[in-house]
Every structure is written in C-alpha cells, then in structure tokens.
Amino acid sequence: MFASLARFTTHRSRLVLYLSGVLLVLAGALGGGVISTLSAGGFTDSSTESARTAEVLDGRFGSGAPNLTLLVSDKRGVDDPAVGAAGARLTERIGAEDGVEQALSYWTLGKAPALRGEGGEGGDSAMVLVRITGDEDQVQETLERIQPEYDTKVEGLDTRVGGVAVANKEITDTTQDDLLLIEMVTFPVLLVVMLFVFRGVVAALVPLMVAGLTIVSVLLT
C-alpha cells in the first residue's frame, strides 16, 4: 500500500499538492471553532458519592455548596453600620442575578465569625458566599456575565471575586490559550522536520494532512 501511495504521489505530485492544500484549508475551517463548542465540564466525577449527594441536595432542597465567593473589604471595618447596610445590599443584589440560586454573607447570617477577616478593628473584610446554579457550562456562562460587575467597587465596598467557579474558568481559559500556542509552534516545526525527512513539499504535506484530518475528526466526534 505504501509503495502504491509513493508511486501515486510521485506521478501526481502537483495534484497531491493541490489536494493537500485544499484539505488543509477545509480542516482548518471545520476545526477552527471546535474549542468554543467543547464542554467546560470534567472537573468533577459525577459518579462519586459527594457529587451524587450534591445533586440530590440541589434537586430536592434547592441548596448546594457555594461555588463563587466575594471578598468584601472596607477600612471602616465590616461591623460599621454603614458597611453592614452596604454589605447586605450587595448580598441581595448578587442573589437576584439570573443564574444565581442563593447568596449569603457575613451580614445576612448574623455576623458569622467564620466569614469575617481578622485585620483591623472588628475585621476589615468579610465574605459573600454565592451559589451559581446549572451545569459547569452554565456556571461559566453566568460567571462571565456577572464577574465584571462584582470584581470592582460595589455599593461603595471593594470586592474581589474568587471561588471554585473562578478557578475552573481560569483553568479552561489557560488550557485553550496553551492549546492554540502549541498548535502555532508545533505546525511549522513539524513541517520543517517533514521536509527534511521526506525531502519534498508534497511528501511532507501528506502526513501533515493525514494527521490534521485525524485530529479534526477526533475533536468533532
């Protein structure tokens, strides 16, 4: 088979070159947007007991572990009456966002000590715990929408967004960026290696084309 392929590429080198170029362009067109269609899931094994328990709690009781945290700080201290009123408004505001199931905070839980920082008199920081509902893709969509509004100054308070949802989003974004960088670096290097090994543009493009089509077909399945 390989001998026949070699004879074909030798006698039809121009045709093979053209076909390789066309198929390479088609592969790029078909696979170029595949990253945006991939799921952001996979961080949690749905078969584990903890995952099943969380699913039951979410389905039957409408509750689950918070996956978004706001760190709220103010120099006046979190026990200052004005800060407390602003913190309560902030909690109510993010709790009313589409896709947010629940929001609780130091101020709405009766000044729970576990949610207060120790810096300054009475603590100058406290946490708002938020539960974004939906699967991992929906959580990321909600986070992308609301993060710019809360990773700033809200209700006069300095707020910073963190938590599991933010960590998962950063992992996904970094993976996508690294994947694109790897493709941009490896393709020209691989082409040079193929040119050196096969000593010809046509012979070098054939394995690159096959590899590219294989990768695209795997990603699209």
Side-chain angles (χ1 to χ4, degrees):
M1 183 182 71
F2 289 106
S4 300
L5 180 61
R7 286 195 296 270
F8 178 80
T9 56
T10 301
H11 292 92
R12 300 287 189 275
S13 59
R14 191 179 296 275
L15 175 62
V16 172
L17 181 61
Y18 291 154
L19 289 177
S20 299
V22 171
L23 290 176
L24 189 62
V25 171
L26 288 176
L30 291 174
V34 71
I35 291 179
S36 61
T37 65
L38 294 177
S39 172
F43 299 108
T44 303
D45 185 355
S46 59
S47 65
T48 61
E49 292 184 3
S50 60
R52 292 199 299 270
T53 301
E55 183 178 355
V56 170
L57 288 173
D58 189 37
R60 294 186 180 180
F61 303 103
S63 63
N67 48 15
L68 183 67
T69 302
L70 300 184
L71 178 64
V72 183
S73 59
D74 192 284
K75 294 181 179 180
R76 293 170 292 180
V78 296
D79 291 327
D80 181 87
V83 174
R89 291 195 302 270
L90 168 60
T91 307
E92 182 180 1
R93 173 176 168 179
I94 194 170
E97 294 281 358
D98 291 338
V100 174
E101 182 178 40
Q102 191 178 38
L104 302 171
S105 69
Y106 169 74
W107 302 280
T108 63
L109 290 176
K111 297 185 177 180
L115 300 182
R116 185 186 66 185
E118 296 300 329
E121 183 179 354
D124 60 3
S125 64
M127 289 189 293
V128 179
L129 304 181
V130 181
R131 170 72 177 174
I132 301 177
T133 189
D135 59 27
E136 289 168 316
D137 289 327
Q138 293 170 326
V139 169
Q140 293 226 355
E141 290 175 1
T142 301
L143 177 63
E144 290 177 357
R145 175 169 48 82
I146 69 175
Q147 183 174 4
E149 299 180 19
Y150 293 93
D151 205 6
T152 179
K153 203 174 188 68
V154 184
E155 298 289 343
L157 307 176
D158 292 323
T159 64
R160 293 294 180 268
V161 178
V164 175
V166 175
N168 289 346
K169 179 178 181 297
E170 291 179 352
I171 291 173
T172 301
D173 292 344
T174 301
T175 300
Q176 292 179 354
D177 293 341
D178 289 347
L179 180 60
L180 292 175
L181 178 61
I182 290 172
E183 291 177 348
M184 293 175 61
V185 172
T186 56
F187 185 82
V189 173
L190 186 58
L191 178 59
V192 172
V193 172
M194 290 297 181
L195 288 173
F196 178 77
V197 173
F198 293 99
R199 301 183 183 279
V201 175
V202 175
L205 282 176
V206 170
L208 281 178
M209 177 191 68
V210 173
L213 291 176
T214 301
I215 293 173
V216 171
S217 64
V218 171
L219 290 175
L220 292 178
T221 56

